[in-house]
Amino acid sequence: METYASVPAHDGFVSSREYFEAVVQDLSDPEDGRTHTEVEDLLTAHSQELMRRLFQDHLDLRAAREVRREEVTGTDGVRRASVEEGHERSLFTVFGQVRVRRQAYRVKGARNAYPADGELNLPVELHSLGLRRLAAVEAVRGSFADASAAIERARGVGVATRQVEQLARTAAADIALFYSTRRTSPAGTDDLLILQMDGKGVVMRPEALREDTAKKAADAKPKLATRTSRGEKRNRKRMAEVGAVYDAAPVSRTPEQVITLGTDSEHVKGPKAQGKWLTASVTEDAAAVISEVFDEAERRDPGHQRPWAAVVDGNNHQIERIQAEATARQITVPIVIDFIHVLEYLWASAWCFFAEGAKAAEEWVAAHARRILAGRSDLVVAALRRKATCRGLVADKRARLEKTITYLVNKRPYLRYDQALEQGWPIASGVIEGACRYLIKDRMEITGARWGLAGAEAVLQLRAVISNGDFDEYWAFHKRQHHQRVHGPRYQEAYALAA
């Protein structure tokens, strides 16, 4: 059925033409002595209003062309044959406020139907999808207040801070579905498929804390009123779980090519990450985020033909969840602990034997690091115990050394760096460490930030989509989902979204 009547184009856009001609007339003044800056400012101000008028004139023209349908049937099965012209609603756009006029299909006892709303893909709320997108982009850069100011600066449109947050939350609504249905380009069958996970605390409002953290915060009795004492925690944070998946061509290396101090070898860099994909959540637990990471990995390698590996920081719960997920999916996923963490333990032990800043300590750490990289963490443990006994370490130094020994013994199954280096795997978790800095620290920890659960989740997910380079593709998907979600359920007839 035809949707719009035939109205000559010259019958529309009168307001826009008049405004444009007025601007042209102003710029044509023969006595004009304005500087280029004054002209620039003038056109900047007029361009926003001209775009708004063009938008309004376009909507008015569509309203004039809208053809009456014989009837409209909603999904409630009720036929609406009575039509009223001129029903209006406001729409706040990136150019300013406009009015949308359309036909209302009515029947007593049922909600009005507006087929034109579906054709325009109008939102239920007052703000346009373009303004929603702008709010989402700005909200992930800085505070919601800064985002509000940036929108007004760029567009001359006022959007309150609370509305910016709400628009960002709505903008993130389809991210999980987007990734669950997206197909990825296959990498080479010899390329590594690397999984990494980590977590970082986010300062939350009291009502957004997890139950156990909230209880600890309520039960806490700090010694001082204005600051925490040693050993005290504020119990203000909720853990955000972060996951990463990426492809990499394997790079085989020797221990001497990783730790070159005291050798003649040249340093060889590890595998370079390609096609990085990040996810983060402050509402889901580690198990759920790790499941998402495995979902993304399986989208890249559904037949499990490629070599997989996971690099973690040594958190026992993460390791257990990775193993459980791999078992459930019948995938072999070797787990390697980030070697940087091992080095930190070695350096902590070095200061039990050497003076602070001693050159010999660096050489000692390098020698033991190469042994661990060669797969002989057991030799390092034995050497540490012998040295501690021979030196007769005092209690506090012996306790520090025992921490390293216990760590190396307990984590030995995940210290197979000899296998990792031979197979060309990465042995450091730089990708996930960088993700935690970008996704969480750079935005979630800005001065004074105290997060609600929904706002924090939306910003984390939007930052991940942008970091993945998927925002434009996601936004096209989001608009389609918005139409299906808002307008699809309202009519038995299909009012298709315009291309």
Side-chain angles (χ1 to χ4, degrees):
M1 179 184 294
E2 184 181 2
T3 306
Y4 292 102
S6 177
V7 176
H10 60 77
D11 286 350
F13 298 95
V14 173
S15 175
S16 303
R17 295 175 195 277
E18 289 177 349
Y19 193 85
F20 177 75
E21 290 299 333
V23 175
V24 171
Q25 186 69 29
D26 186 13
L27 295 174
S28 302
D29 185 355
E31 304 297 327
D32 194 347
R34 287 171 288 201
T35 66
H36 86 279
T37 304
E38 291 171 325
V39 175
E40 193 172 42
D41 292 342
L42 176 74
L43 289 177
T44 299
H46 283 312
S47 63
Q48 186 78 0
E49 175 59 16
L50 178 59
M51 294 301 104
R52 191 199 68 78
R53 291 190 180 218
L54 284 167
F55 202 150
Q56 182 65 69
D57 286 347
H58 171 76
L59 292 173
D60 291 345
L61 185 60
R62 290 181 71 157
R65 288 175 169 175
E66 187 177 6
V67 174
R68 174 173 174 166
R69 296 171 173 84
E70 293 180 3
E71 63 182 37
V72 170
T73 306
T75 51
D76 55 9
V78 177
R79 298 168 54 194
R80 295 160 174 82
S82 175
V83 181
E84 284 186 1
E85 301 280 350
H87 278 232
E88 289 192 359
R89 59 155 291 178
S90 289
L91 181 67
F92 290 92
T93 76
V94 294
F95 308 116
Q97 183 180 3
V98 295
R99 301 289 298 176
V100 183
R101 191 174 74 254
R102 69 273 202 242
Q103 296 173 354
Y105 288 77
R106 310 185 66 187
V107 68
K108 186 175 181 180
R111 184 178 61 181
N112 289 354
Y114 301 97
D117 287 5
E119 290 158 358
L120 286 165
N121 198 18
L122 294 181
V124 175
E125 62 272 14
L126 293 175
H127 298 89
S128 71
L129 295 186
L131 205 52
R132 182 188 298 180
R133 175 184 175 128
L134 184 58
V137 170
E138 294 297 339
V140 302
R141 292 176 176 170
S143 70
F144 294 128
D146 288 345
S148 175
I151 293 170
E152 186 164 7
R153 212 166 38 242
R155 291 293 185 177
V157 178
V159 183
T161 300
R162 188 181 295 273
Q163 290 172 324
V164 170
E165 179 179 356
Q166 183 58 52
L167 288 170
R169 288 163 55 178
T170 308
D174 298 309
I175 291 176
L177 182 62
F178 168 70
Y179 280 118
S180 69
T181 57
R182 191 185 66 148
R183 294 184 178 182
T184 58
S185 301
T189 55
D190 294 331
D191 283 350
L192 304 172
L193 190 53
I194 305 301
L195 289 61
Q196 295 187 0
M197 305 86 181
D198 204 351
K200 188 170 178 59
V202 176
V203 178
M204 308 295 287
R205 297 174 192 149
E207 69 274 11
L209 294 171
R210 296 190 190 276
E211 185 177 351
D212 57 339
T213 309
K215 187 176 185 304
K216 290 177 182 177
D219 295 342
K221 295 180 174 56
K223 298 174 184 176
L224 303 176
T226 58
R227 60 177 295 164
T228 55
S229 301
R230 180 175 296 180
E232 292 181 343
K233 293 184 178 180
R234 293 188 183 275
N235 294 306
R236 299 182 306 173
K237 292 187 175 182
R238 183 182 177 116
M239 189 62 68
E241 303 294 340
V242 184
V245 179
Y246 63 89
D247 307 313
V251 179
S252 298
R253 295 177 289 168
T254 65
E256 292 74 21
Q257 291 173 324
V258 178
I259 305 294
T260 60
L261 183 67
T263 73
D264 296 328
S265 300
E266 291 187 4
H267 179 72
V268 176
K269 292 183 178 181
K272 184 177 181 180
Q274 301 287 344
K276 288 185 292 185
W277 174 89
L278 305 178
T279 188
S281 177
V282 74
T283 60
E284 303 290 349
D285 59 13
V289 173
I290 288 171
S291 179
E292 289 179 27
V293 167
F294 272 78
D295 288 343
E296 173 64 19
E298 287 203 299
R299 283 192 286 271
R300 298 183 181 214
D301 182 28
H304 305 165
Q305 301 298 311
R306 296 166 56 188
W308 293 35
V311 184
V312 300
D313 65 2
N315 180 282
N316 289 331
H317 180 61
Q318 285 182 353
I319 292 173
E320 291 168 1
R321 294 313 311 168
I322 292 169
Q323 291 172 331
E325 200 69 39
T327 299
R329 299 175 189 242
Q330 299 181 336
I331 313 169
T332 300
V333 184
I335 299 173
V336 178
I337 287 179
D338 184 350
F339 187 63
I340 303 299
H341 289 263
V342 177
L343 283 177
E344 292 300 322
Y345 275 92
L346 287 178
W347 274 109
S349 298
W351 305 132
C352 297
F353 305 116
F354 300 93
E356 191 77 27
K359 181 70 174 176
E362 189 174 32
E363 296 169 351
W364 181 87
V365 169
H368 281 309
R370 281 192 291 271
R371 291 190 184 98
I372 293 175
L373 288 173
R376 300 310 307 268
S377 60
D378 56 329
L379 295 182
V380 174
V381 169
L384 292 177
R385 284 174 172 159
R386 284 195 305 272
K387 196 172 185 70
T389 302
C390 292
R391 290 289 186 92
L393 293 180
V394 295
D396 64 327
K397 288 188 176 181
R398 183 69 192 230
R400 271 187 280 158
L401 191 68
E402 283 299 327
K403 286 185 179 180
T404 300
I405 291 172
T406 301
Y407 180 85
L408 293 176
V409 170
N410 290 343
K411 304 301 184 184
R412 187 179 178 186
Y414 315 111
L415 305 181
R416 292 302 309 273
Y417 298 112
D418 53 331
Q419 177 186 8
L421 293 177
E422 182 182 356
Q423 298 296 323
W425 304 343
I427 58 171
S429 57
V431 169
I432 200 68
E433 297 288 345
C436 286
R437 285 193 299 272
Y438 171 75
L439 296 180
I440 300 174
K441 185 177 178 59
D442 291 353
R443 173 62 179 95
M444 315 301 284
E445 295 184 7
I446 60 177
T447 303
R450 300 291 183 272
W451 290 92
L453 204 54
E457 184 74 359
V459 168
L460 279 175
Q461 292 195 352
L462 287 168
R463 283 180 73 85
V465 169
I466 291 170
S467 177
N468 295 342
D470 294 332
F471 186 73
D472 289 341
E473 184 182 350
Y474 166 70
W475 198 254
F477 177 85
H478 174 66
K479 288 189 292 184
R480 293 193 298 271
Q481 289 302 120
H482 172 269
H483 185 269
Q484 181 177 332
R485 181 168 53 246
V486 174
H487 301 289
R490 295 190 175 184
Y491 313 107
Q492 288 187 354
E493 298 91 349
Y495 300 113
L497 181 64

